[in-house]
Amino acid sequence: SRLILIATLVLLFTVAGLSAVGAASTTYEVSVPNSIDVPDRVVEAGGQELRITSIARVEPGEDIEASTTAPESENYLLLHYNSSGSIVNFARMKGNGSATFSTDEIDPGTYLLVLNGDNGRATQPVVVAGYDAELTVPSEAKPGETVNATVEIDSITDDEPAIDSVELVVMDGDEPEQIEAEATDTSGDTFVYETELTVPDDEGEYEVFSSVFGEESIADTTEQEVLEITETSIEVSEATTDDGSDRGT
């Protein structure tokens, strides 16, 4: 289901590991700063079961700064794949290291950094944003309360990639609900999508993230690419006031 994709994606591979489930996945890692955690999921791609934990985001023209973990004496490649499954760049690595990949002259969409090790591999999905989204939810809510959520989307590229849908997830447990937002205003420069979210019954602070899905698929899978991802949080408490301000990012 697409919940496996978005909620986790929301996408396909993972910050600590596009690794076969049950393998020694802790040996290899690849990560990008400021990645957004998504619920742990296992999906199948290329005949392997892959665990997903996060997705990174960069602006067009912003470098992708990757850090890797691998056995000290091992030589390996860190591969940069585009959404069609072609290698657009690579770095030769040894042991723990870092690499920088340019996003100049590449299209918005979902890219994959794949560490190919001798005894496993790890993958980090990276969104090169096609839009700048602001997700707004109330800063506070009572347990089980239904609140309004708004996603405002502005283009940050000359050519606007087509939007298929905008979906939100409240990070609540292993299988959070995925909610599709409705387009309420697409007539101007800013596209507005709105929906309602029901917050968890338990008190605490919960992350909320929204994903803007494009019409293309990721690599050689049936999963849709992500054009933008953003997150915020909401505090769930019995002590919440009814006139709390909204929180956005």
Side-chain angles (χ1 to χ4, degrees):
S1 70
R2 288 184 60 192
L3 174 56
I4 290 182
L5 186 260
I6 178 171
T8 181
L9 242 246
V10 220
L11 269 135
L12 185 65
F13 304 96
T14 172
V15 116
L18 172 154
S19 57
V21 173
S25 59
T26 56
T27 302
Y28 301 98
E29 292 185 10
V30 55
S31 61
V32 173
N34 303 317
S35 296
I36 294 177
D37 291 336
V38 296
D40 286 1
R41 286 292 185 279
V42 174
V43 299
E44 185 172 336
Q48 293 192 77
E49 289 185 326
L50 310 173
R51 181 168 288 112
I52 301 165
T53 62
S54 75
I55 181 170
R57 177 199 185 275
V58 296
E59 299 260 341
E62 178 184 356
D63 288 342
I64 300 172
E65 304 284 352
S67 298
T68 60
T69 300
E72 182 178 356
S73 60
E74 183 173 330
N75 295 299
Y76 59 90
L77 294 177
L78 181 62
L79 304 173
H80 180 200
Y81 287 91
N82 63 16
S83 57
S84 64
S86 299
I87 297 173
V88 296
N89 207 341
F90 70 92
R92 299 184 186 276
M93 313 283 287
K94 182 176 182 179
N96 297 346
S98 61
T100 300
F101 297 104
S102 173
T103 63
D104 291 339
E105 300 180 1
I106 66 174
D107 294 331
T110 304
Y111 293 78
L112 303 175
L113 300 182
V114 180
L115 185 166
N116 275 329
D118 290 342
N119 298 302
R121 58 180 183 164
T123 299
Q124 171 69 66
V126 180
V127 171
V128 176
Y131 294 91
D132 182 28
E134 181 178 358
L135 169 60
T136 302
V137 299
S139 59
E140 299 176 326
K142 295 184 182 298
E145 183 179 357
T146 298
V147 301
N148 295 322
T150 302
V151 183
E152 296 179 295
I153 303 170
D154 292 294
S155 177
I156 53 177
T157 62
D158 292 335
D159 297 322
E160 294 182 354
I163 296 174
D164 180 74
S165 63
V166 175
E167 298 175 3
L168 286 77
V169 170
V170 179
M171 295 284 281
D172 175 26
D174 293 334
E175 297 185 4
E177 182 182 4
Q178 170 189 327
I179 301 164
E180 183 168 349
E182 179 183 356
T184 57
D185 186 356
T186 57
S187 60
D189 294 334
T190 299
F191 300 156
V192 180
Y193 288 74
E194 297 178 285
T195 190
E196 292 184 336
L197 302 175
T198 299
V199 304
D201 293 328
D202 295 330
E203 294 186 323
E205 185 174 16
Y206 293 87
E207 296 301 312
V208 183
F209 69 86
S210 64
S211 296
V212 178
F213 285 98
E215 296 181 339
E216 303 297 324
S217 61
I218 301 168
D220 59 351
T221 75
T222 59
E223 307 295 352
Q224 286 175 272
E225 69 176 347
V226 176
L227 300 172
E228 167 67 323
I229 185 168
T230 189
E231 68 177 340
T232 186
S233 62
I234 185 168
E235 182 72 26
V236 176
S237 173
E238 288 287 1
T240 295
T241 59
D242 292 331
D243 57 352
S245 60
D246 284 350
R247 174 180 292 166
T249 185

